């Protein structure tokens, strides 16, 4: 039920302006007065704005796609630690194929009165998804922050890795090593990071090698070891001497495919991963990869959410973080023919 300022003001014995300031989270109201207004709101049976509802243990939802890709546990650990430092209890919700859907998790979180939700590579990253699931949450005034997957029209802060710059870094490195037949192995093109990687790949191949005929060098499979294996096998058949992968797991699959084809990495075939997942420096060979700024991105997501919860909304924009190329032993000079 929508609150009437006059009724609340009369019950709490304050002005309507004071009630408005409390309901809108404005400063300058004594704590005792604020509590009197909120108590009157409860007694009169009105719904509190979501940011003013009593939270059990100040819960915050954290929704991630799955935990088999090491990059997602890395995000989760940093976000959970940062939330705990500010006395918020994270509730980790992991999506798995055939498991609980994101929308079901959100309903569970709403039932528990969470203070806000952070999404990492959620449905918002899928351009075919309906953004209404997020706009409806904002209409309820629930603070949300979305990581890696921008969609226009959602009233929330976005935190993203610069996927276009990632391709520029990887391709510049490979071109400097003498490679000209370079492939790209990514996941399904309905995801925003994939679309941006493909755009960056095309732009960098044009700028660095003057090539526009790159469509046959792009393989869209799955973000998995098997997906990387399949993509690399096809690219090797097409004569590629190097591949840039959309994830470190895909890169491991690409190395497997190269070895099955009788090629040495990097003497015959160079592989660049993506994410710089934990332990990836200890693979055979240690993987050259594009490192997401996971620490900075995760902390920025938490800061943005805490500002939203405190009634001090972050500017509505996409905050894009610059990646870093980490050169190890999976890339080398192009083989001579």
């Amino acid at each position: 039920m929508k609150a009437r300022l006059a009724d609340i003001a009369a019950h709490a014995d304050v002005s309507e302006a004071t009630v408005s300031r409390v309901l809108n989270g404005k400063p300058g109201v004594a704590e005792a007065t604020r509590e009197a207004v909120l108590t009157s709101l409860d007694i009169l049976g009105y719904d509190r704005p979501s940011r003013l509802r009593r939270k059990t243990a100040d819960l915050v939802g954290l929704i991630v796609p799955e935990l088999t890709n090491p990059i997602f546990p890395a995000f989760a650990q940093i976000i959970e630690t940062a939330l705990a430092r500010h006395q918020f209890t994270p509730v980790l919700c992991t999506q798995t194929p055939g498991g609980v859907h994101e929308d079901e998790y959100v309903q569970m979180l709403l039932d528990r009165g969470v203070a806000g939700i952070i999404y990492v590579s959620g449905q918002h990253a899928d351009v075919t998804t309906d953004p209404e699931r997020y706009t409806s949450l904002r209409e309820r005034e629930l603070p949300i922050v979305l990581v890696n997957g921008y969609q226009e029209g959602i009233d929330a802060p976005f935190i993203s890795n610069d996927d276009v710059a990632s391709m520029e870094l990887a391709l510049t490195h490979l071109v400097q090593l003498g490679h000209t037949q370079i492939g790209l192995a990514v996941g399904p093109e309905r995801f925003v990071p994939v679309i941006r990687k493909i755009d960056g790949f095309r732009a960098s191949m044009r700028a660095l090698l003057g090539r526009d005929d790159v469509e046959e060098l792009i393989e869209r499979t799955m973000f998995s070891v098997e997906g990387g294996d399949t993509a690399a096998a096809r690219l090797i058949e097409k004569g590629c001497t190097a591949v840039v992968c959309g994830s470190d797991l895909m890169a491991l699959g690409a190395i497997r495919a190269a070895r099955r084809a009788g090629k040495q990495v990097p003497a015959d075939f160079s592989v660049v991963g993506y994410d710089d997942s934990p332990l990836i420096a200890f693979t055979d060979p240690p993987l050259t990869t594009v490192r997401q700024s996971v620490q900075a991105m995760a902390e920025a997501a938490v800061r943005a959410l805490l500002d939203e919860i405190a009634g001090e909304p972050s500017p509505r924009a996409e905050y894009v973080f610059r990646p870093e190329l980490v050169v190890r032993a999976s890339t080398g000079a192009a083989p001579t023919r």
Side-chain angles (χ1 to χ4, degrees):
M1 184 166 54
K2 188 173 181 181
R4 291 185 56 202
L5 297 186
D7 293 343
I8 301 166
H11 190 278
D13 195 22
V14 297
S15 69
E16 290 185 32
T18 298
V19 174
S20 178
R21 294 185 71 82
V22 172
L23 297 184
N24 289 291
K26 301 296 184 182
V29 179
E31 185 61 27
T33 302
R34 178 179 175 279
E35 286 300 321
V37 170
L38 294 178
T39 299
S40 296
L41 199 70
D42 296 336
I43 291 173
L44 294 173
Y46 293 123
D47 294 329
R48 293 191 185 197
S50 58
R51 65 175 173 274
L52 298 178
R53 293 174 190 159
R54 291 190 178 93
K55 313 299 191 304
T56 304
D58 288 323
L59 302 177
V60 168
L62 171 57
I63 298 178
V64 299
E66 37 89 5
L67 297 178
T68 55
N69 186 333
I71 195 64
F72 296 125
F75 267 111
Q77 181 176 6
I78 297 167
I79 290 172
E80 289 178 336
T81 301
L83 286 171
R85 281 202 304 267
H86 291 88
Q87 287 73 56
F88 283 89
T89 302
V91 180
L92 180 62
C93 302
T94 305
Q95 301 179 77
T96 55
V100 179
H101 189 272
E102 177 181 299
D103 294 341
E104 295 175 282
Y105 273 130
V106 169
Q107 189 56 56
M108 294 177 192
L109 294 171
L110 293 175
D111 291 343
R112 286 158 178 76
V114 292
I117 302 175
I118 297 176
Y119 297 82
V120 179
S121 299
Q123 292 291 312
H124 66 281
D126 187 338
V127 296
T128 66
T129 196
D130 185 356
E132 194 274 336
R133 56 170 47 90
Y134 304 107
T135 57
S136 64
L137 292 176
R138 293 300 300 126
E139 288 169 0
R140 298 176 60 154
E141 298 184 342
L142 182 76
I144 61 174
V145 176
L146 303 129
V147 179
N148 278 342
Y150 178 73
Q151 276 202 35
E152 290 187 6
I154 300 176
D155 177 28
F158 288 84
I159 308 294
S160 299
N161 179 67
D162 192 335
D163 295 294
V164 173
S166 299
M167 293 299 103
E168 180 186 5
L169 288 169
L171 288 170
T172 297
H173 171 62
L174 292 171
V175 170
Q176 289 174 345
L177 291 171
H179 294 275
T180 56
Q181 281 292 106
I182 305 168
L184 174 65
V186 286
E189 200 170 349
R190 70 178 187 271
F191 297 113
V192 173
V194 173
I195 294 169
R196 290 179 171 181
K197 285 181 177 71
I198 290 174
D199 288 345
F201 179 79
R202 289 172 176 150
S204 291
M205 288 291 279
R206 185 182 307 113
L208 296 168
L209 296 172
R211 295 191 59 174
D212 289 311
D213 57 331
V214 299
E215 188 56 35
E216 68 170 8
L217 301 178
I218 302 172
E219 291 290 339
R220 303 159 179 85
T221 57
M222 301 299 294
F223 284 115
S224 63
V225 172
E226 293 76 17
D229 186 317
T230 299
R234 294 172 184 166
L235 292 169
I236 290 170
E237 287 181 0
K238 295 175 182 178
C240 287
T241 62
V243 62
V244 180
C245 298
S247 73
D248 289 335
L249 290 181
M250 294 188 79
L252 296 181
I255 292 172
R256 186 172 72 182
R259 288 174 173 161
R260 191 173 59 249
K263 296 184 179 296
Q264 294 184 331
V265 178
D268 304 310
F269 191 70
S270 288
V271 178
V272 179
Y274 196 92
D275 288 333
D276 196 28
S277 311
L279 303 180
I280 213 66
F282 305 100
T283 57
D284 178 24
L287 188 66
T288 295
T289 189
V290 178
R291 175 185 292 161
Q292 286 197 65
S293 300
V294 175
Q295 183 82 32
M297 292 171 65
E299 291 180 349
V302 171
R303 283 198 302 272
L305 187 75
L306 295 180
D307 287 345
E308 297 281 322
I309 292 172
E312 301 171 1
S314 302
R316 292 305 185 250
E318 181 183 20
Y319 299 90
V320 181
F321 286 73
R322 178 82 179 179
E324 175 188 357
L325 180 70
V326 182
V327 178
R328 298 192 180 102
S330 66
T331 50
T336 56
R337 295 180 182 273

